[in-house]
Amino acid sequence: MAGHSKWKQIKRKKAVTDQKRGAVFTRLIREITIAAKQGGGDPGGNARLRTAIDAAKAENMPADNIDRAIKKGTGELEGVTYEEVTYEGYGPGGAALLIQATTDNANRTVAEIRNVFQRHGANLAATNAVAWMFDRKGQIVVDAKANEDATMEAVLDAGAEDMEKEGDIYLITTPPTQLHAIDQALRGKKLLNLMEGLEEMDDVAKVFSNFDIDAEAMAAVTG
């Protein structure tokens, strides 16, 4: 009986994990689709799509899923049409709330959001009631084991707005349109430093890498 009980617990835990993973995949697929719809299916010329693909890969989303989401966005494959909508409101105590949603049915979504607001003693507000309080920014998280001065120099040279140390991480703030380029520039800077360190060794003749960095990021790295 104990073994059976343990099996049920593991099965239940796996079901919950799979459900959460499915929800993450759904959000990522919608973001990829919207990004491809707005900026085209080439990640080389669509920073938002590159960022969405990177996020999907970080969650181990299969390449086929990513490809289908892109093609649905560009219209190469039939699929659900998503749109981005923003809702504003006030929570208990007057806290301002800005909700961004990606939906295939805006009427359904606003009704569901209004219902959640009402259940928690909150209220939806008119457009621009609270939006002025918020700025859209990009964020990059770097392990604080990296040298702080070198990291700060690299990200500021690449166009970042700020960098703060929070516990064991550096939190880098960027303009939203520069998120991908700054992230790539930072990775490129670290890689170039590593390669230079290896090449300085007497016993090392050449160092090769398959690292791919676009022109914009390379310019930020090399200054």
Side-chain angles (χ1 to χ4, degrees), residues 5-19:
S5 176
K6 185 176 181 181
W7 164 254
K8 287 171 63 177
Q9 291 174 0
I10 293 173
K11 187 176 180 181
R12 188 181 304 113
K13 184 176 181 181
K14 183 179 185 302
V16 171
T17 301
D18 288 346
Q19 185 178 19

Side-chain angles (χ1 to χ4, degrees), residues 166-179:
E166 296 189 1
D168 58 355
I169 65 168
Y170 298 130
L171 187 62
I172 299 160
T173 303
T174 78
T177 56
Q178 291 296 103
L179 174 63

Side-chain angles (χ1 to χ4, degrees), residues 90-169:
Y90 296 99
L97 297 171
L98 187 70
I99 304 102
Q100 293 181 327
T102 306
T103 179
D104 60 342
N105 187 328
N107 291 332
R108 182 200 67 226
T109 301
V110 70
E112 292 175 352
I113 288 178
R114 182 178 290 110
N115 184 44
V116 173
F117 265 70
Q118 291 174 347
R119 290 206 316 266
H120 295 277
N123 296 287
L124 280 174
T127 302
N128 294 324
V130 303
W132 59 272
M133 302 181 190
F134 299 87
D135 289 320
R136 189 178 181 89
K137 302 291 183 182
Q139 284 190 336
I140 300 172
V141 176
V142 177
D143 193 320
K145 292 178 182 177
N147 180 273
E148 184 171 5
D149 290 339
T151 302
M152 181 173 290
E153 180 180 358
V155 298
L156 291 179
D157 285 347
E161 295 180 347
D162 193 17
M163 186 182 96
E164 296 181 357
K165 184 175 182 181
E166 296 189 1
D168 58 355
I169 65 168

Side-chain angles (χ1 to χ4, degrees), residues 8-221:
K8 287 171 63 177
Q9 291 174 0
I10 293 173
K11 187 176 180 181
R12 188 181 304 113
K13 184 176 181 181
K14 183 179 185 302
V16 171
T17 301
D18 288 346
Q19 185 178 19
K20 290 181 178 179
R21 183 180 180 84
V24 170
F25 273 23
T26 296
R27 286 194 292 270
L28 289 169
I29 286 172
R30 290 185 178 188
E31 173 61 18
I32 292 170
T33 302
I34 284 284
K37 179 181 178 181
Q38 294 182 348
D42 178 14
N46 185 340
R48 180 174 178 179
L49 180 58
R50 290 199 303 268
T51 301
I53 291 173
D54 287 345
K57 288 180 177 179
E59 292 294 337
N60 297 314
M61 180 181 288
D64 287 347
N65 293 37
I66 295 173
D67 188 54
R68 283 197 301 272
I70 293 172
K71 289 181 176 178
K72 287 178 181 178
T74 58
E76 296 174 68
L77 289 178
E78 291 187 2
V80 177
T81 300
Y82 295 111
E83 62 176 312
E84 288 184 304
V85 288
T86 301
Y87 304 103
E88 303 174 43
Y90 296 99
L97 297 171
L98 187 70
I99 304 102
Q100 293 181 327
T102 306
T103 179
D104 60 342
N105 187 328
N107 291 332
R108 182 200 67 226
T109 301
V110 70
E112 292 175 352
I113 288 178
R114 182 178 290 110
N115 184 44
V116 173
F117 265 70
Q118 291 174 347
R119 290 206 316 266
H120 295 277
N123 296 287
L124 280 174
T127 302
N128 294 324
V130 303
W132 59 272
M133 302 181 190
F134 299 87
D135 289 320
R136 189 178 181 89
K137 302 291 183 182
Q139 284 190 336
I140 300 172
V141 176
V142 177
D143 193 320
K145 292 178 182 177
N147 180 273
E148 184 171 5
D149 290 339
T151 302
M152 181 173 290
E153 180 180 358
V155 298
L156 291 179
D157 285 347
E161 295 180 347
D162 193 17
M163 186 182 96
E164 296 181 357
K165 184 175 182 181
E166 296 189 1
D168 58 355
I169 65 168
Y170 298 130
L171 187 62
I172 299 160
T173 303
T174 78
T177 56
Q178 291 296 103
L179 174 63
H180 179 80
I182 292 172
D183 179 59
Q184 288 290 93
L186 183 57
R187 293 172 188 269
K189 185 72 172 181
K190 287 183 178 182
L191 181 68
L192 292 178
N193 287 341
L194 168 61
M195 293 176 68
E196 287 174 0
L198 292 170
E199 289 171 344
E200 288 173 359
M201 296 175 60
D202 292 338
D203 294 340
V204 174
K206 294 181 179 180
V207 180
F208 301 93
S209 173
N210 66 347
F211 181 72
D212 184 23
I213 182 169
D214 58 35
E216 182 181 8
M218 180 58 78
V221 172

